Amino acid sequence: MNLQVVADGYTFLEGPRWHQGRLWTSDFYTHQVVAISPADGRAEVMARVPQQPSGTGFLPDGRALIVSMRDRKVMRREASGELVVHADLGQLAPWHCNDMIVDAKGRAYVGNFGWDLMSGAPPASTCLIRVDPDGSARIAAEGLMFPNGTVITPDGRTMIVAESFGGRLTAFDIAADGSLSRQRVWARLGDVPTEFHGDIPDTVALPDGICLDAEGAVWYADGIRKCVVRVAEGGRELERISTAPDGVYACMLGGDDGRTLFMCVAPNFIEDERKATRLGRIVAARVNVPHAGLP
């Protein structure tokens, strides 16, 4: 499949969100959140986050929430464009915060690395943190291996989280008060080694960013195998799109009809290499089934 280049010249893009006709995404190492117009690739800087932006989402009144990774905070972009602290997660997240989803009531669920990934520390399980609209935070779930991309079904009752180093998509029931229960494997994608010596084998399925479609299937970005994969509940593979030679680290369905699959690609996720270059891009492909749910 031929992929259309939507935008290029970035360091490492993550957290794409289709919002009001544009694709919002975080560029890690220029510390910017940008909104890209797919028709011409023009980008507007929406926020500058010195401690590295990642996941984004939107409150019911339209204000944006943005994860500030290294200081483990959630920032809020006011209508004026000013960035203020929405929640400080330093006492709950053991390492860098990462992706996030914001539900229809303005509750944010934030993942974190769990360990010092870039320095080669041994993997460790961690938590998913819930931030209520007033900024109060608590642990929503534990025992997750690098909770990453997250979706919520259209009825608001089910959350699916990509456990990158668990090789699985994990589901929860969402109660009316935002609490999570009935943790279960939604799709097992494969086994991930518990220790790494050098590169991660390119046979390992390592789900990163995800999005949901109207048939209830999940697209997940797999940077190791350099592809996006569409899976049904239970793990049956439905479709696959290669992004080789680049890896792909997040994906989002959007466009006017919800059938454009946007993908954040880069040669790899090695921090020193990505900081030094501008090889991050957004590419896109047309798919048959449109977006559903959140984000």
Side-chain angles (χ1 to χ4, degrees), residues 84-104:
V84 300
V85 176
H86 184 68
D88 188 335
L89 309 184
Q91 299 302 310
L92 297 175
W95 203 250
H96 297 339
C97 290
N98 192 25
D99 215 336
M100 171 180 67
I101 191 167
V102 180
D103 73 9

Side-chain angles (χ1 to χ4, degrees), residues 24 44-47 61-64 76-84:
W24 287 52
E44 179 184 358
V45 176
M46 306 306 294
D61 64 8
R63 290 177 297 170
R76 187 178 68 246
R77 183 183 185 272
E78 302 288 32
S80 65
E82 178 188 9
L83 214 59
V84 300

